[in-house]
């Protein structure tokens, strides 16, 4: 087993994951707001924020889909060692991680059922840039208006139209992340 | 501190609760099922709120617990000391100093800020439960937005009493979609639910549900055009601090029918008394 597989996890899991979760929660509760999280040092091409989200939320109960170049031997071994999460395809994944193009098409993921809309996937989108500008956001968690650099707009509009069904997104870049739940209107 | 994992729960349980909280925030007002654990206190003593708090506390937090507004009741004191012991967090009774506030049946009088989180203890999360006992049916009703029964219940109140007699756990509609039980807070507190700067999380331990209101969410108390919702309180000033804008408890003080009205929010009342306000019953 490679040394890289064993390292790069939390060295104080209870405390580090509590800080990481608080930032993920704040991001999900306030769409568009950018937060910093760290603690994990995952193998390339995963970002620190992306890896930290996986360590904070994934375990043996959460099937994960590694999309595109996120799916390599180092990442597989690292995720298996630190979380034990089973790997799967998009149709059964609770979490998916990769860049926007690799994660397509969105209709491959679970959007929940009308009685259990929570049984839907959360997509961790690794972004080349992440800024509080661009697409305009409105909805729960946003006082008047927020803005976020989104990879595109149409996809998020049709996802919002599915509400209360739909996918939730976490955008990561380096140590930074922002989130876009299905409830947010994008223009 | 070393005897327990940080904040009592094991990490896998916290991850499960954390995933439920995130889905709850993404679907405001929808009740997310979660695998509630046995806690070292009986169901009905805030096990849902305690599990939500345990999943989100960090060592940097300052924690406050209120039970019907009071910091000094058995339930509030024991939950506060539980987290002092298992998470080592700082605790306070001052609303403005707390970063996480766990509450049973009240929203503090002071407006909360964006840096605060309010965690509710919920006994029965399903607003339709007393109208339809079957979970399979209430779930269907939520999925179809079939809330007519709730309006019938409020209408029956009006036909029987002349007004909507529901005075606590008054049902609300969240973002025009889900009808939600705000937990047994007095309807006086309902207007504070919407557009709040703080994140609001609801945990029901026995019923195994978590739901949430993100900040600045639209929350509307159900009513009729000719019987609009009214946030009511006892029509008295506080006997100790003379406040006229706070929710009051009625306290029986002798066996001659004597009574006094005092703020249910002890921190609010104490702060006002310290600032020199004095009610008619103050010593």
């Amino acid at each position: 087993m490679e040394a890289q597989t064993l390292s790069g996890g939390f060295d104080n899991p209870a405390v580090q994951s509590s800080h990481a979760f608080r930032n993920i929660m704040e991001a999900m509760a306030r769409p568009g707001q950018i937060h910093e999280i760290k603690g994990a040092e995952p193998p390339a091409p995963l970002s620190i924020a992306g890896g930290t989200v996986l360590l904070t939320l994934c375990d043996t109960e959460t099937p994960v889909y590694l999309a595109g170049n996120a799916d390599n031997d180092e990442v597989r071994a690292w995720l298996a060692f630190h979380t034990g999460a089973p790997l799967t395809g998009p149709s059964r994944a609770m979490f998916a991680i990769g860049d926007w193009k690799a994660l397509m098409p969105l209709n491959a993921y679970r959007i929940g059922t009308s009685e259990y809309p929570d049984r839907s996937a959360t997509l961790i989108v690794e972004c080349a840039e992440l800024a509080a500008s661009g697409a305009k956001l409105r909805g729960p968690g946003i006082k008047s208006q927020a803005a976020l650099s989104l990879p595109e707009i149409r996809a998020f509009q049709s996802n919002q139209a599915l509400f209360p069904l739909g996918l939730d997104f976490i955008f990561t870049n380096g140590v930074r992340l922002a989130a876009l739940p299905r409830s947010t209107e994008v223009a | 501190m070393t005897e327990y994992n940080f904040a009592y729960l094991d990490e896998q349980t916290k991850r499960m609760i954390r995933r439920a909280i995130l889905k709850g925030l993404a679907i405001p007002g929808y009740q997310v099922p979660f695998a509630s654990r046995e806690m070292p206190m009986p169901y009905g003593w805030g096990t849902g709120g305690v599990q939500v708090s345990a999943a989100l506390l960090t060592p940097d937090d300052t924690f406050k617990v209120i039970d019907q507004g009071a910091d000094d009741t058995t339930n509030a004191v024991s939950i506060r000391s539980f987290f002092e012991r298992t998470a080592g967090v700082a605790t306070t009774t001052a609303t403005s100093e707390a970063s996480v506030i766990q509450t049973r049946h009240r929203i503090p009088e002071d407006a909360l800020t964006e840096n605060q989180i309010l965690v509710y203890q919920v006994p029965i999360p399903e607003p339709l439960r007393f109208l339809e006992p079957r979970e399979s049916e209430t779930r269907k009703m939520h999925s179809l937005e079939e809330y007519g029964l709730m309006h019938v219940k409020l209408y029956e109140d009006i036909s029987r009493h002349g007004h909507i007699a529901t005075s606590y756990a008054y049902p609300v509609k969240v973002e025009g979609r889900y009808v939600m039980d705000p937990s047994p807070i007095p309807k006086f507190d309902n207007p504070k639910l919407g557009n709040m700067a703080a994140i609001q999380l609801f945990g029901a331990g026995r019923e195994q549900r978590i739901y949430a209101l993100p900040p600045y969410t639209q929350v509307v108390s159900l009513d009729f055009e000719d019987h609009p919702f009214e946030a009511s309180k006892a029509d008295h000033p506080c006997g100790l601090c003379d406040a006229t804008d706070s929710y009051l408890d009625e306290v029986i003080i002798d066996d001659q029918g004597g009574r006094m009205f005092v703020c249910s929010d002890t921190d609010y009342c104490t702060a006002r008394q310290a600032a020199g306000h004095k009610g008619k019953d103050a010593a």
Side-chain angles (χ1 to χ4, degrees):
Chain A
M1 203 179 266
E2 307 252 336
Q4 196 194 7
T5 301
L6 306 179
S7 65
F10 291 140
D11 39 66
N12 186 354
V15 170
Q16 283 176 300
S17 67
S18 76
H19 285 293
F21 172 69
R22 272 292 273 282
N23 284 311
I24 300 170
M25 184 180 91
E26 288 285 341
M28 192 60 87
R30 305 174 199 276
Q33 221 176 66
I34 294 175
H35 291 263
E36 283 192 10
I37 65 168
K38 41 190 182 240
E41 278 166 28
L46 298 189
S47 66
I48 289 176
T52 308
V53 173
L54 291 175
L55 291 198
T56 306
L57 298 176
C58 296
D59 52 36
T60 51
E61 296 172 351
T62 58
V64 173
Y65 170 52
L66 300 172
N69 64 0
D71 188 9
N72 62 46
D73 289 345
E74 287 79 29
V75 172
R76 280 173 173 247
W78 182 81
L79 193 66
F81 179 74
H82 290 284
T83 71
L87 296 178
T88 178
S91 63
R92 302 192 54 184
M94 278 176 73
F95 291 90
I97 187 165
D99 62 45
W100 181 246
K101 282 213 177 74
L103 287 165
M104 294 295 114
L106 291 187
N107 61 14
Y109 300 92
R110 295 195 304 174
I111 56 169
T113 66
S114 62
E115 291 181 14
Y116 294 95
D118 57 303
R119 295 179 184 173
S120 51
T122 302
L123 271 52
I124 304 161
V125 187
E126 299 271 28
C127 302
E129 62 155 339
L130 188 62
S133 61
K136 292 186 172 53
L137 315 181
R138 273 178 190 284
I142 301 166
K143 194 172 185 181
S144 49
Q145 203 174 65
L148 188 65
S149 54
L150 295 177
E152 65 167 291
I153 287 179
R154 281 278 307 265
F156 299 103
Q157 289 175 333
S158 38
N159 183 55
Q160 196 277 329
L162 297 170
F163 188 87
L165 308 187
L167 306 170
D168 306 309
F169 300 89
I170 295 173
F171 302 97
T172 53
N173 168 273
V175 296
R176 300 180 315 139
L177 96 170
L180 191 78
R182 64 195 77 177
S183 57
T184 305
E185 289 171 39
V186 180
Chain B
M1 252 310 281
T2 47
E3 298 93 319
Y4 296 99
N5 187 32
F6 173 72
Y8 186 78
L9 292 174
D10 61 280
E11 289 306 298
Q12 185 166 11
T13 299
K14 284 194 222 162
R15 281 191 294 269
M16 174 270 295
I17 295 171
R18 286 166 177 168
R19 294 192 293 262
I21 291 174
L22 292 182
K23 286 299 173 192
L25 285 166
I27 319 165
Y30 165 75
Q31 303 162 48
V32 185
F34 81 110
S36 178
R37 299 294 196 244
E38 293 256 2
M39 298 301 285
M41 61 191 76
Y43 286 138
W45 285 73
T47 52
V50 166
Q51 290 178 78
V52 170
S53 294
L56 62 83
L57 280 175
T58 74
D60 305 341
D61 275 314
T62 305
F63 191 56
K64 169 182 162 90
V65 189
I66 51 174
D67 174 1
Q68 305 220 300
D71 291 281
D72 53 3
T73 62
T74 311
N75 198 202
V77 171
S78 66
I79 293 174
R80 196 161 61 230
S81 68
F82 174 75
F83 281 114
E84 273 171 8
R85 196 154 143 199
T86 60
V89 291
T91 56
T92 181
T93 57
T95 302
S96 58
E97 285 168 19
S99 55
V100 178
I101 302 174
Q102 181 171 328
T103 174
R104 174 177 174 273
H105 308 358
R106 266 319 302 278
I107 298 175
E109 301 292 349
D110 289 327
L112 300 184
T113 68
E114 295 202 346
N115 299 319
Q116 295 179 305
I117 298 169
L118 188 58
V119 179
Y120 295 76
Q121 302 171 196
V122 183
I124 308 284
E126 178 50 73
L128 305 167
R129 181 61 69 234
F130 292 108
L131 307 169
E132 169 51 66
R134 288 166 297 179
E135 170 71 10
S136 56
E137 290 302 304
T138 51
R139 222 156 242 285
K140 217 169 279 169
M141 290 158 80
H142 281 294
S143 79
L144 298 171
E145 276 184 87
E146 178 48 68
Y147 295 128
L149 202 54
M150 186 55 92
H151 277 102
V152 171
K153 193 231 167 215
L154 296 176
Y155 174 75
E156 281 181 348
D157 262 14
I158 294 170
S159 62
R160 199 171 300 162
H161 307 286
H163 62 276
I164 299 177
T166 305
S167 57
Y168 65 95
Y170 192 103
V172 295
K173 198 164 202 182
V174 180
E175 288 285 328
R177 179 58 181 83
Y178 284 101
V179 165
M180 185 190 99
D181 181 329
S183 86
I185 58 173
K187 69 176 176 182
F188 174 81
D189 282 341
N190 269 29
K192 301 180 204 162
L193 289 162
N195 263 319
M196 189 188 276
I199 297 173
Q200 298 172 81
L201 302 171
F202 299 78
R206 181 189 52 218
E207 304 289 322
Q208 315 201 317
R209 297 289 182 274
I210 286 172
Y211 51 105
L213 294 173
Y216 311 114
T217 296
Q218 185 209 72
V219 179
V220 179
S221 302
L222 298 182
D223 61 359
F224 298 97
E225 274 173 23
D226 52 346
H227 282 90
F229 172 80
E230 204 182 337
S232 60
K233 66 183 268 290
D235 192 17
H236 293 269
C238 170
L240 296 178
C241 76
D242 210 30
T244 52
D245 57 352
S246 70
Y247 189 74
L248 303 173
D249 286 336
E250 183 179 3
V251 184
I252 307 293
I253 47 177
D254 54 33
D255 57 1
Q256 313 294 314
R259 64 190 59 195
M260 68 187 283
F261 291 89
V262 291
C263 294
S264 98
D265 186 334
T266 50
D267 174 54
Y268 182 76
C269 196
T270 322
R272 275 181 57 87
Q273 290 177 66
H277 297 276
K278 209 167 170 191
K280 67 177 176 62
D281 302 314

